[in-house]
Amino acid sequence: MCSIYMLVVAIVLPCCFEILSLNCGTLMKETLRYLAGIVGPSGYGSKSTAEQVAHSCSYLVDSQRLTAIITGATSGIGAETARAVAKRGVRVVIPARDIKKAAELKERIRKDNPNAEVILCEIDLSSLASVKRFCNEFLALGLPLNILINNAGIFSQKLEFSEDKFEMTFATNYLGHYLLTEMLIEKMIETAEQTGIQGRIINLSSVIHSWVGRDCFHFNQMLHPINYNGTRAYAQSKLPLHAKEIAKQLKAKNANVTINAVHPGIVKTGIFRAHKGFITDSIFFIASKLLKSTSQGASTSCYVALSPQVEGMSGKYFVDCNESNCSVLANDESEARRLWRQTRALIRRRLYQTPC
């Protein structure tokens, strides 16, 4: 029972942390804006849904010409993101570990849009070899690639290791997506050149990344932690440093591809339902007033993937479909570069047995 309380705290506190970091005047304004769903400069806010955003943007972009890869799309935010964009004619590629669940999602998508094109592939994001295999399989299809949404993520309270012997949360949430992006980015650049349509990479982050300080941000410790803490591991894996560095590299290449990070919000799940009791029910009732629906949680991914308002914006951080601020560490270009170099060297050694 103690573990479920800790998980509730880990989910709810980021909302409070974000609010309490503001001054008193801004506190009231931002709290009312969030709870009431008051829209920001983009025309969307915390209550906007993926359906609303995708529907609005479909009139402004030729979504019929787009191809998107969405990880973690068999449930939750990823499934809603896939459904919303596929309904607007985007060809959706769903790499999944559980192909049965992916097939079930495909059927649900086809009910919304009988003409939807959904391609299913196998992947285990915690395995570098599996990610490499998926990328090779996708590239062999000869399809264009306009949108890559690195949505998949796990939270583990106990220390586990991937088949590559790396901590599971970091391996899945960060390393897998790093390799996925690295292997597909040239295809995105090529597609953008051929079509004139800007390519977009979206990394799912979390406001909880603000909890990570420089003193506990060490690459080797994230790979092989000594004193494991699930919340800390999750926060570290969600730092938007990857987007910061890749945005810089894309700009240097003058590529017509952008990369941004999004915080989907703290989304309602059924995670507490099996734990009945007055305290648990009370905490869930209070938390539910701050939490988003799945569709609301998927709205920012859809906005950054499809909206013309985001044209040319790269290396940014979005919350509630509006540009926002991330932590000081997440804005540190030298840390972003260092993390990219360390990751690149690690993957080269592991997969290719070559120096960085």
Side-chain angles (χ1 to χ4, degrees):
M1 183 65 76
C2 180
S3 61
I4 192 66
Y5 294 150
M6 291 302 295
L7 187 53
V8 171
V9 170
I11 291 173
V12 175
L13 275 183
C15 294
C16 303
F17 180 84
E18 185 173 32
I19 291 172
L20 293 175
S21 65
L22 306 170
N23 63 45
C24 191
T26 306
L27 168 63
M28 182 173 292
K29 180 180 177 181
E30 292 302 317
T31 301
L32 289 173
R33 179 183 293 277
Y34 177 83
L35 293 176
I38 298 172
V39 301
S42 69
Y44 304 104
S46 63
K47 302 298 183 185
S48 299
T49 66
E51 182 84 17
Q52 291 169 342
V53 172
H55 179 73
S56 298
C57 293
S58 68
Y59 291 104
L60 302 172
V61 297
D62 187 2
S63 55
Q64 301 281 348
R65 297 175 61 196
L66 303 179
T67 299
I69 292 177
I70 306 173
T71 68
T74 55
S75 64
I77 296 170
E80 179 61 15
T81 302
R83 188 195 67 79
V85 299
K87 190 172 183 178
R88 299 300 153 195
V90 178
R91 178 196 288 125
V92 177
V93 179
I94 300 176
R97 185 170 55 181
D98 190 332
I99 290 296
K100 181 181 179 181
K101 287 181 68 176
E104 292 169 355
L105 173 64
K106 181 177 180 177
E107 287 304 308
R108 294 198 300 273
I109 289 174
R110 294 293 294 273
K111 285 181 181 179
D112 274 350
N113 178 8
N115 296 319
E117 185 175 355
V118 182
I119 299 170
L120 309 181
C121 301
E122 281 193 73
I123 196 173
D124 177 356
L125 275 163
S126 71
S127 163
L128 296 176
S130 178
V131 174
K132 181 182 177 183
R133 185 163 53 250
F134 161 74
C135 290
N136 288 333
E137 289 173 358
F138 172 77
L139 293 172
L141 295 175
L143 296 173
L145 181 58
N146 308 93
I147 300 167
L148 172 61
I149 303 180
N150 292 320
N151 169 84
I154 65 167
F155 175 95
S156 179
Q157 286 187 288
K158 63 179 182 178
L159 177 60
E160 297 177 292
F161 290 95
S162 68
E163 69 175 40
D164 298 303
K165 310 303 180 187
F166 304 135
E167 190 277 313
M168 186 65 79
T169 302
F170 194 65
T172 303
N173 298 0
Y174 172 68
L175 294 177
H177 285 127
Y178 175 102
L179 180 58
L180 188 72
T181 303
E182 181 181 76
M183 292 192 67
L184 297 177
I185 201 164
E186 289 302 322
K187 169 56 71 174
M188 296 191 71
I189 293 172
E190 175 188 297
T191 300
E193 288 176 346
Q194 292 174 347
T195 64
I197 300 172
Q198 186 174 82
R200 299 190 182 181
I201 303 169
I202 296 93
N203 287 353
L204 269 285
S205 179
S206 171
V207 70
I208 202 175
H209 82 266
S210 300
W211 289 19
V212 182
R214 294 179 191 277
D215 57 331
C216 63
F217 188 65
H218 302 290
F219 190 67
N220 288 333
Q221 280 294 309
M222 290 186 285
L223 293 174
H224 308 107
I226 297 173
N227 298 310
Y228 180 76
N229 176 284
T231 303
R232 181 175 61 219
Y234 182 79
Q236 290 169 333
S237 74
K238 289 296 182 177
L239 266 165
L241 287 169
H242 178 243
K244 180 72 65 177
E245 173 59 24
I246 299 303
K248 189 175 179 180
Q249 294 182 17
L250 287 167
K251 183 178 180 181
K253 292 180 179 180
N254 199 31
N256 190 23
V257 176
T258 64
I259 179 169
N260 292 289
V262 305
H263 167 51
I266 313 302
V267 180
K268 293 176 185 176
T269 71
I271 199 164
F272 314 120
R273 294 306 188 186
H275 299 267
K276 295 295 183 181
F278 176 75
I279 296 177
T280 304
D281 291 346
S282 298
I283 292 174
F284 180 78
F285 175 78
I286 295 169
S288 68
K289 303 308 174 185
L290 294 172
L291 306 188
K292 290 184 175 186
S293 69
T294 303
S295 187
Q296 290 167 347
S299 64
T300 306
S301 293
C302 290
Y303 173 73
V304 179
L306 297 175
S307 176
Q309 297 180 49
V310 187
E311 185 81 18
M313 298 179 71
S314 196
K316 306 298 184 183
Y317 179 72
F318 289 82
V319 179
D320 297 334
C321 301
N322 288 275
E323 187 181 352
S324 187
N325 297 316
C326 53
S327 70
V328 174
L329 177 59
N331 267 321
D332 191 321
E333 291 187 359
S334 64
E335 285 288 357
R337 182 65 176 175
R338 185 160 67 95
L339 178 63
W340 178 84
R341 282 177 171 169
Q342 290 173 315
T343 310
R344 184 174 183 270
L346 174 74
I347 290 176
R348 289 291 182 276
R349 291 195 303 269
R350 180 68 59 167
L351 283 184
Y352 308 109
Q353 286 81 48
T354 60
C356 61

